Amino acid sequence: MAELKITLSRSFIGRPQDQIKTAKALGLTRVGRTVVKTKTPAIEGMINKIPHLLTVEEVK
C-alpha cells in the first residue's frame, strides 16, 4: 500500500474540539510535525475532515 506524509501546517488555535482530536489521533501535536501513515480509508477520512490544517504528500 502507498504511504502518506502528513504535516500539520496550521495551528489548532480557535478550531473546534473535534478537529483538534482528529489531528492528535493522527499523531500531530505541533505545527510543523510530520508523520508517515499507510493509506487506508480511515486515515483518508481523517485527512478529509481537516484538509485546511494539513499538507499531505504521497511517499513512494
Side-chain angles (χ1 to χ4, degrees), residues 11-52:
S11 175
F12 295 139
I13 296 172
R15 303 294 176 188
Q17 194 65 32
D18 63 329
Q19 292 181 7
I20 295 170
K21 287 182 178 182
T22 301
K24 290 190 178 192
L26 285 168
L28 301 168
T29 55
R30 288 188 271 181
V31 175
R33 185 65 51 105
T34 300
V35 294
V36 177
K37 299 283 186 181
T38 304
K39 186 175 181 180
T40 63
I43 297 296
E44 288 179 4
M46 292 172 143
I47 292 169
N48 288 337
K49 186 172 178 98
I50 54 171
H52 55 285

